[in-house]
Amino acid sequence: DIQMTQSPSTLSASVGDRVTITCRASQSVHGWLAWYQQKPGKAPKLLIYKASSLENGVPSRFSGSGSGTEFTLTISSLQPDDFATYYCQQYHSFFTFGPGTKVDI
Amino acid sequence: QVTLRESGPALVKPTQTLTLTCTFSGFSLSATGMSVGWVRQPPGKALEWLAVVDWDDYKTYNTSLRTRLTVSQDPSKNQVVLTVTRVDPADTGTYFCARMSGGNPWYFDYWGQGTLVTVSS
């Protein structure tokens, strides 16, 4: 099974900051990687698919990059609504989620 | 408009069987490439994929849980059902159903709100 790791596990930031979250896979997932945002008590929300494609309706301050085993999610200018937990997920071979990165103040 | 909604018991006793239903609208599970999956989340922990059923009734399961999971679909009711046998307190958490529309495996583009299940005697 493919294992996913994320770093950092927690990130303290301020409004306006540029934020980068890293996701690593135990073996190549090519570009088959998605990013989700989850707020407390809510379902995950799809942000990015195929490593760098922005889901419809997601603000352009979110971007994704990477291929193979290393991927990043970048928020160019953190907004108050962005404080949440972010998960990566590979879908090259079944599905595996990362452990999450909590973005807080 | 695509919607999914999970339903099932809030409390289950250890060793019992948990049955959850996902009722969806806005798409047909019979359409080629369409799938519905289940993902759970223990309190304060990460997401864990459980199972997926495809448009052609092909099913895939989390390797570590496959002996306890069964997923099925009822196209006439727009429902997908997940059963978890021999539940344990470690099965406590929020259970989500979610749609994939690009084949299996793919990413989950629409999610239900989730249903919290507690396993306790």
Side-chain angles (χ1 to χ4, degrees):
Chain A
D1 292 2
I2 298 175
Q3 307 302 315
M4 308 298 290
T5 60
Q6 288 182 235
S7 60
S9 55
T10 303
L11 190 159
S12 295
S14 302
V15 171
D17 285 352
R18 181 181 181 88
V19 167
T20 299
I21 299 169
T22 299
C23 173
R24 291 185 175 87
S26 60
Q27 63 189 77
S28 177
V29 300
H30 305 279
W32 305 117
L33 187 108
W35 288 97
Y36 300 87
Q37 176 194 68
Q38 187 181 33
K39 297 181 179 178
K42 300 294 187 183
K45 173 188 174 183
L46 176 67
L47 300 176
I48 302 281
Y49 59 93
K50 219 185 300 182
S52 60
S53 296
L54 194 67
E55 173 70 348
N56 288 340
V58 174
S60 59
R61 63 181 180 272
F62 291 92
S63 64
S65 65
S67 65
T69 61
E70 187 158 331
F71 302 85
T72 59
L73 173 70
T74 299
I75 309 172
S76 60
S77 178
L78 198 66
Q79 298 302 300
D81 191 47
D82 302 338
F83 290 97
T85 299
Y86 294 84
Y87 293 94
C88 61
Q89 177 225 327
Q90 68 82 17
Y91 52 101
H92 168 62
S93 175
F94 299 117
F95 315 90
T96 316
F97 290 91
T101 295
K102 184 178 181 180
V103 177
D104 60 17
I105 299 174
Chain B
Q1 180 188 2
V2 173
T3 65
L4 302 99
R5 186 183 76 251
E6 306 85 353
S7 58
L11 181 65
V12 184
K13 289 182 167 50
T15 75
Q16 290 186 337
T17 294
L18 168 65
T19 300
L20 297 170
T21 300
C22 175
T23 304
F24 57 86
S25 64
F27 67 97
S28 172
L29 191 46
S30 300
T32 300
M34 211 63 75
S35 306
V36 171
W38 288 91
V39 174
R40 72 179 180 182
Q41 186 171 39
K45 296 189 177 181
L47 302 163
E48 178 182 37
W49 166 67
L50 299 177
V52 164
V53 59
D54 297 342
W55 74 98
D56 57 0
D57 208 34
Y58 185 77
K59 298 154 188 175
T60 51
Y61 295 98
N62 182 312
T63 304
S64 63
L65 294 165
R66 66 174 300 120
T67 60
R68 299 173 50 217
L69 300 176
T70 303
V71 65
S72 61
Q73 59 167 307
D74 186 339
S76 66
K77 295 182 179 179
N78 277 357
Q79 290 182 335
V80 170
V81 175
L82 176 75
T83 61
V84 185
T85 61
R86 306 186 310 276
V87 296
D88 175 87
D91 295 310
T92 292
T94 299
Y95 287 71
F96 298 97
C97 63
R99 186 192 84 158
M100 295 191 298
S101 58
N104 183 4
W106 204 241
Y107 52 87
F108 297 104
D109 55 2
Y110 286 91
W111 294 67
Q113 62 188 14
T115 186
L116 177 61
V117 177
T118 301
V119 179
S120 174
S121 55

